[in-house]
Amino acid sequence: MIRFEPRSNPGPLLVYGVPVLAATIAILLAAIPLALAGAPIIEAYGLMISGAFGSVFSTSEMLTRATPLILTGLAAAIAFRAKLWNIGAEGQLYMGAMAAVAVGSGVIDGPSWVMIPVVIIAGMAAGALMLIGPTLLKTRLGVDEVVTTLLLNFIVLLFVQMMLEGALKDPMSMGWPQSEPVIDSAAFPALLERMRVHIGLIIALVSAVALAIFVKRTIWGFEIRAVGENAAAAKFSGISVTKTMILVAALSGGLAGLAGVSEVAGTRGYLATDLSPGYGYAGIVVAMLARLSPIGVIASALFVASVFVGADSMSRAIGVSSYLADLIVAMALLCVLIGGFLTRFKVHFDRKSVHG
């Protein structure tokens, strides 16, 4: 007979060691599909590592990929902390990107110290508004936010496609559905010459630290944690659950919108329907790997980004599908979920004696 006993106080070794162990196990388990594909396993792992860390260029590409993952990971982490199940970060990312292009492609002009904050504020506001609506439906009418935020992803993408064929279309794009480019004064400066990594990375890192302090050290952060632990008890103690959830929605949606800003103002320079390869959905995985810790999000985003960049490099070198990266990330998430359960509960195997 299997019996589960809650742990009174899991030690730091369990809390912080489980995600690391989960990532390690996932990478080791990747040897199975590699072997089935007939790939040289040791060489494949070496190519993955060199593809993500083998040169300044490869490392900069990994950091470029990690930037939106940090921001969408933070968006998911703060929402899930309050039990607001935001599955719509992908749509919020696109809305943030579209708002940034709308104000940053020449409608208004000014120096960089004016334009960069303008596109950031516009993108974050658009992303926040995208989540505040479903949050009000949840708090006022009890509508499931998983459904509303997920479906809004598809609605937003269709809306972006419409805008790229209409008001936002670049007349110089030779018929391709893309927006006019962001003007130079609104573009994020590069951190390294001739590399794509930009100040969006610094903004993402600062956002993670600021969110960690906000959640742990402020009254608002305490209220968010209280609502997440027990909304009924929080309401009984005088905390406004609705206001707290709206604050969480503004933060979560704003961070996802900021990820969209970083892509159009930093990496791509313009908006297209293939702007995101799924950063909004991957942010959920990043947040879960980090166990909803804002600082942990940085490490998990770097892990996920290195897996994706390394797998792309490996697939080009030995002909193995780059979808191996998705498999590794999925296995890491599964291992973290199992590890999280074992962190909270002790497993006991009780033997019953059988008498004839």
Side-chain angles (χ1 to χ4, degrees), residues 325-341:
D326 297 302
L327 182 61
I328 293 174
V329 171
M331 288 190 296
L333 176 59
L334 181 61
C335 291
V336 163
L337 293 176
I338 295 172
F341 178 82

Side-chain angles (χ1 to χ4, degrees), residues 140-350:
R140 298 295 187 184
L141 302 175
V143 178
D144 188 347
E145 75 276 18
V146 172
V147 176
T148 53
T149 55
L150 178 61
L151 294 180
L152 276 172
N153 288 334
F154 303 101
I155 294 171
V156 168
L157 192 55
L158 291 171
F159 180 64
V160 168
Q161 290 174 346
M162 183 188 74
M163 294 298 289
L164 291 180
E165 294 287 356
L168 293 180
K169 186 173 183 178
D170 183 2
M172 305 298 292
S173 65
M174 304 292 291
W176 291 101
Q178 66 183 50
S179 72
E180 293 188 60
V182 173
I183 59 176
D184 291 342
S185 59
F188 286 3
L191 293 178
L192 296 172
E193 190 177 355
R194 295 192 300 275
M195 303 291 175
R196 295 201 305 165
V197 63
H198 50 79
I199 64 165
L201 175 63
I202 305 300
I203 294 172
L205 295 175
V206 171
S207 298
V209 174
L211 189 64
I213 295 172
F214 176 82
V215 171
K216 291 290 186 181
R217 304 294 183 185
T218 68
I219 294 175
W220 293 310
F222 171 78
E223 291 177 347
I224 290 170
R225 287 183 283 121
V227 169
E229 290 293 332
N230 191 322
K235 184 177 181 180
F236 183 79
S237 66
I239 296 173
S240 173
V241 174
T242 300
K243 289 181 179 178
T244 301
M245 295 296 269
I246 290 173
L247 172 62
V248 170
L251 288 171
S252 179
L255 287 164
L258 182 57
V261 176
S262 77
E263 287 301 284
V264 295
T267 306
R268 295 284 289 270
Y270 59 88
L271 175 61
T273 53
D274 63 347
L275 179 73
S276 168
Y279 290 133
Y281 300 111
I284 297 172
V285 178
V286 168
M288 297 303 293
L289 288 175
R291 298 176 62 83
L292 308 185
S293 164
I295 301 300
V297 162
I298 298 174
S300 60
L302 292 174
F303 165 73
V304 172
S306 63
V307 168
F308 280 126
V309 173
D312 286 343
S313 176
M314 178 198 65
S315 68
R316 290 192 298 268
I318 61 176
V320 175
S321 173
S322 61
Y323 284 109
L324 178 69
D326 297 302
L327 182 61
I328 293 174
V329 171
M331 288 190 296
L333 176 59
L334 181 61
C335 291
V336 163
L337 293 176
I338 295 172
F341 178 82
L342 295 178
T343 300
R344 296 191 301 272
F345 296 93
K346 294 179 181 179
V347 181
H348 297 279
F349 296 92
D350 297 333

Side-chain angles (χ1 to χ4, degrees), residues 4-21:
F4 300 102
E5 178 185 339
R7 296 180 188 270
S8 58
N9 186 23
L13 183 62
L14 273 177
V15 173
Y16 298 110
V18 162
V20 176
L21 182 61

